[in-house]
Amino acid sequence: MVRLSENLRTVTNADGGVVLDLRKGKIFRLNATGATIFELLVRGYEEEQIIADISTRCGIAPARASRDVQDFLNVLASNDLLYRQNAD
């Protein structure tokens, strides 16, 4: 299970987006795919759902989508924008 930090403000559109971390005062730019992944996170999608959605939207194999989504989520986590929780 993943959840976004509560200290974020975002603006996204079809061309990409911007995430502002209010706590750290940092701004992060997103490309179109990153903005889509971020919007799916905001909607409460789980990792598997995001991978399936990106695979379909981008016409790529699920294994490739999985690597790309995981890489993106790892970048978010390394910047304290996303937290992974155990489903216990």
Side-chain angles (χ1 to χ4, degrees):
M1 175 182 280
V2 294
R3 70 176 177 84
L4 293 168
S5 170
E6 296 175 4
N7 301 305
L8 304 179
R9 298 297 178 264
T10 62
V11 175
T12 60
N13 61 36
D15 297 323
V18 176
V19 177
L20 170 62
D21 181 343
L22 296 172
R23 187 171 39 101
K24 293 183 180 180
K26 286 185 168 182
I27 296 174
F28 301 87
R29 294 178 54 104
L30 306 173
N31 65 17
T33 303
T36 299
I37 295 169
F38 203 89
E39 281 295 317
L40 295 174
L41 288 167
V42 168
R43 292 182 193 167
Y45 280 45
E46 294 298 327
E47 291 179 51
E48 296 78 21
Q49 294 170 300
I50 295 170
I51 291 164
D53 189 280
I54 294 299
S55 175
T56 301
R57 284 184 198 224
C58 298
I60 60 175
R64 169 72 190 271
S66 178
R67 286 190 304 272
D68 292 347
V69 169
Q70 288 299 321
D71 288 347
F72 183 76
L73 296 180
N74 288 338
V75 169
L76 293 179
S78 71
N79 284 285
D80 298 324
L81 304 178
L82 174 126
Y83 302 99
R84 289 188 164 99
Q85 300 173 322
N86 292 333
D88 295 339

